[in-house]
Amino acid sequence: MKRLNVGLLVVAFVLSLFAGRLVQLQTIESGRYTELARKQRLQPFKLPAVRGDITDAQGNALAMTVEARGVFADPGLIKPEKRQAIVNALTPMLGLDPNVIMRAISKPKSRFEYLAHGVRPDQARLIAGLKFPGIGSRTEYRREYPNDSLAAGVVGFVNAAGEGAAGLESSMNAQLAGRDGWQRVEISPDGQHIPMGEDQKKPPVPGRGLRLTLLRDIQFKAQQAIEKQVKASGARSGSVVVMDPRTGQLLALATAPGFDPNQYGKSDPRTWRSPIVQEAYEPGSTGKVITAAAVMEKGGVRPDTPFLVKDRITRGPRTFHDSHPHTPEKLTFAGVLARSSNVGTIMASERISPETLYQFLRAFGFGEKLNLGLPAETAGLLRPPDQWSGTDRYPIAFGQTVAVNAVQMASVYATIANGGVRVAPNLIAGSTGEDGAFTPNPAPERRQVISAETARQIRDMLEGVISKEGTAPAAQIEGYRVAGKTGTAEIPNPECGCYRGGGFTASFAGFAPADDPQLVVQVVLQHPTKGGHLGGEVAAPVFKDVMTAALAARKIPPTGSRRPTVQIYARD
């Protein structure tokens, strides 16, 4: 009896422990365990936001978002003996490494593993038709670039993680991407959605689209022309800017070599940049128009002011040369510009102070960022006069020892074409909402840089550059009056810290019609190695092709006016 009583007491004690535990679980801690069970059943999902489109000025898509599928696995539902069959089937369909798929589906404690993003819906349907337990797909979105490489340096691309990685896709990622939402649904042990179960949801916020000032047709012609010339000239790279001088709108920004953002992984990462604003170069003789404006406004120089120009000039310890040897020539200042004489430009620049030259360079936009919205834009190089060496003012006068990007240089010619009024270059016209409503950006800044009369005189002088006596007869367009300027600048050689052996930058900037300018085209070729290196030889033909196409695309007729007679040589 004693042993029985002890046994009963032990049983009663154990039962009391069980009863106490039951009370604890069902009353005191019931809420905690209910919450744990609920969390086990709840499966979180990201609801991706629809990324905003990027279009040209006419609404043609340059970057767009299309529906896609994300293929995932629930490893807990995949039996070990089925894993190899799944790997064998999905590897060719998804284009993935079989080891990656095997690792993802071999995590029995995991309930959700992504296998691939951006899968086409038809491909996802084929995968669903295989009826593999634990393999499914869900709706997401994929970025497409319907024009392939067109404007890739501007638009950029979205990487595999869904983030903007170059161009506007990167710099404007926050606006384009929107904000992802989320959803939590109850999942049964066999992986099925419980229809009447708990469902929590935060809707995504779609991104806003960008409408650019670019025009697809002009962009295509500019890109085609510069790609062809980069190949023909053996240049390291090239760029074309097309701009409306009256509004500052950039109608084309083309670079070569380029890349296809749909297959960015197959291209050289160096081509992902936007060199048209990221790369600073010495403009050479295209920069002489700023010196011309300065000496005409502040130095008393007129287009017919005579200069006796030799082929070299010594200032301090340095001797500066024209592009080719010649006997002394008695040129007008218009002739100095038409013949692109470094010596004549230096002589004219001595009629103003270094401070005045610097002020005009700044007024035309040298040394300041344009803030177009593209990533890593350079402000170029323009040191203040107190940092110039004793002879820096002379090469600066003819466009060396300073540096700009291609759009900054195009803006200089747009200012002259627009009667001396600088309209800040602009690339993003505005943004569009989910409903397609357009919100324009603020109007660009406008400022008077030089007088309308000085601008008119320089326009007339620049027509002399296109004449047979000038440096760019190859830029002539039949029926139209054209004004412009060649540039052939030496490229600094980092190996010696000098210009020797660095190659050349060949450029041409101009506008048409010269007496009613509506379009500016700027062409730059870096380090051409075949068929010449002068701006009039290499860049001017590209200008002609692009300007001709742009005039036709904008339906701009010839003015029918007579070209002014530009006096190249001074009379005795």
Side-chain angles (χ1 to χ4, degrees):
M1 287 295 296
K2 186 176 181 180
R3 285 195 301 273
L4 180 60
N5 288 335
V6 171
L8 289 173
L9 286 173
V10 170
V11 170
F13 177 73
V14 171
L15 290 174
S16 68
L17 290 178
F18 286 149
R21 183 58 175 161
L22 285 173
V23 170
Q24 182 185 27
L25 292 175
Q26 294 181 359
T27 58
I28 300 173
E29 295 184 3
S30 62
R32 173 171 170 260
Y33 286 101
T34 300
E35 180 64 19
L36 287 173
R38 186 183 68 85
K39 287 183 177 180
Q40 277 188 330
R41 296 193 307 275
L42 279 178
Q43 177 67 58
F45 292 100
K46 182 178 77 171
L47 298 177
V50 178
R51 193 176 182 89
D53 291 348
I54 301 176
T55 71
D56 78 345
Q58 297 175 333
N60 298 304
L62 300 174
M64 59 191 295
T65 297
V66 298
E67 188 174 317
R69 296 290 185 271
V71 176
F72 65 88
D74 182 347
L77 297 178
I78 299 174
K79 295 180 179 179
E81 62 270 20
K82 295 289 185 181
R83 291 172 185 167
Q84 191 59 53
I86 291 173
V87 170
N88 293 342
L90 297 188
T91 294
M93 298 180 76
L94 298 178
L96 296 177
D97 184 334
N99 296 322
V100 172
I101 299 177
M102 181 60 80
R103 281 196 298 269
I105 66 176
S106 301
K107 301 176 180 179
K109 293 184 179 180
S110 172
R111 298 305 308 271
F112 190 90
E113 295 289 333
Y114 262 120
L115 300 181
H117 291 280
V119 177
R120 295 193 309 272
D122 59 336
Q123 197 173 20
R125 285 193 291 272
L126 289 175
I127 293 172
L130 299 174
K131 298 186 183 302
F132 285 126
I135 301 296
S137 68
R138 51 192 300 269
T139 300
E140 59 181 29
Y141 301 98
R142 179 166 56 89
R143 203 62 161 168
E144 277 193 359
Y145 303 90
N147 301 288
D148 300 327
S149 64
L150 189 74
V154 174
V155 175
F157 63 87
V158 172
N159 63 22
E163 300 171 346
L168 292 172
E169 293 276 35
S170 172
S171 59
M172 304 299 291
N173 185 68
Q175 174 179 318
L176 291 165
R179 294 194 301 274
D180 291 337
W182 51 265
Q183 184 176 19
R184 295 190 186 98
V185 297
E186 284 196 82
I187 301 296
S188 68
D190 62 355
Q192 299 301 311
H193 179 199
I194 301 174
M196 301 300 291
E198 186 174 344
D199 191 339
Q200 302 174 357
K201 184 176 183 179
K202 181 182 179 181
V205 178
R208 291 188 64 82
L210 293 177
R211 183 183 298 177
L212 308 185
T213 60
L214 301 182
L215 290 171
R216 184 179 62 180
D217 292 347
I218 298 177
Q219 176 74 29
F220 174 80
K221 182 59 184 179
Q223 197 160 312
Q224 184 184 54
I226 195 62
E227 287 174 353
K228 179 181 177 181
Q229 188 66 325
V230 164
K231 184 177 181 180
S233 66
R236 183 179 68 232
S237 63
S239 65
V240 175
V241 178
V242 183
M243 185 175 178
D244 185 332
R246 302 161 300 178
T247 63
Q249 292 181 343
L250 296 164
L251 309 181
L253 294 176
T255 57
F259 70 99
D260 183 352
N262 292 302
Q263 304 180 67
Y264 65 88
K266 297 181 179 180
S267 57
D268 186 336
R270 289 176 294 183
T271 65
W272 300 347
R273 304 182 307 121
S274 300
I276 212 157
V277 296
Q278 292 181 10
E279 185 175 273
Y281 68 97
E282 298 192 14
S285 295
T286 55
K288 289 174 181 174
V289 293
I290 301 178
T291 303
V295 300
M296 292 172 70
E297 294 249 309
K298 300 296 184 181
V301 175
R302 295 174 46 82
D304 59 358
T305 300
F307 291 89
L308 182 60
V309 181
K310 299 180 181 180
D311 63 356
R312 65 192 63 199
I313 190 170
T314 299
R315 291 294 181 263
R318 297 182 64 183
T319 298
F320 302 95
H321 302 262
D322 275 348
S323 60
H324 59 280
H326 61 80
T327 59
E329 298 176 317
K330 196 171 185 180
L331 301 175
T332 64
F333 186 55
V336 168
L337 202 60
R339 300 294 295 273
S340 199
S341 170
N342 293 340
V343 173
T345 303
I346 288 173
M347 295 169 69
S349 75
E350 291 179 316
R351 301 194 180 193
I352 58 173
S353 67
E355 289 73 20
T356 298
L357 178 57
Y358 173 78
Q359 289 166 6
F360 273 80
L361 289 164
R362 288 288 294 175
F364 273 98
F366 278 37
E368 67 179 38
K369 290 186 178 181
L370 299 167
N371 297 316
L372 298 177
L374 289 168
E377 179 188 321
T378 177
L381 174 65
L382 176 63
R383 297 189 301 269
D386 60 6
Q387 296 180 22
W388 295 1
S389 72
T391 58
D392 276 353
R393 62 170 294 173
Y394 304 115
I396 288 173
F398 59 79
Q400 300 251 202
T401 318
V402 292
V404 291
N405 65 48
V407 180
Q408 285 175 318
M409 203 65 239
S411 175
V412 170
Y413 283 80
T415 300
I416 294 168
N418 195 41
V421 177
R422 183 180 187 271
V423 183
N426 52 96
L427 172 63
I428 301 174
S431 62
T432 54
E434 185 181 12
D435 58 356
F438 176 66
T439 303
N441 276 1
E445 178 192 4
R446 303 170 65 91
R447 69 171 183 258
Q448 191 82 40
V449 175
I450 56 176
S451 70
E453 177 60 19
T454 299
R456 183 195 64 77
Q457 291 178 332
I458 294 176
R459 288 203 306 265
D460 289 349
M461 293 162 65
L462 290 175
E463 287 196 70
V465 176
I466 314 301
S467 68
K468 292 181 180 179
E469 295 82 14
T471 58
Q476 294 176 5
I477 299 174
E478 185 176 356
Y480 287 88
R481 287 175 59 180
V482 177
K485 184 73 187 73
T486 56
T488 307
E490 293 180 286
I491 299 174
N493 185 347
E495 293 183 3
C496 66
C498 62
Y499 288 107
R500 186 175 58 256
F504 295 89
T505 297
S507 61
F508 186 91
F511 45 86
D515 55 331
D516 182 23
Q518 297 184 51
L519 291 170
V520 170
V521 174
Q522 155 87 6
V523 180
V524 180
L525 286 135
Q526 297 290 357
H527 202 1
T529 58
K530 296 187 293 186
H533 64 271
L534 300 178
E537 299 172 327
V538 184
V542 180
F543 166 88
K544 177 180 179 177
D545 288 348
V546 175
M547 180 62 85
T548 301
L551 288 167
R554 300 282 273 185
K555 297 180 172 58
I556 300 171
T559 58
S561 61
R562 185 184 296 273
R563 184 169 67 87
T565 300
V566 178
Q567 185 181 344
I568 303 296
Y569 295 97
R571 296 185 179 91
D572 292 331

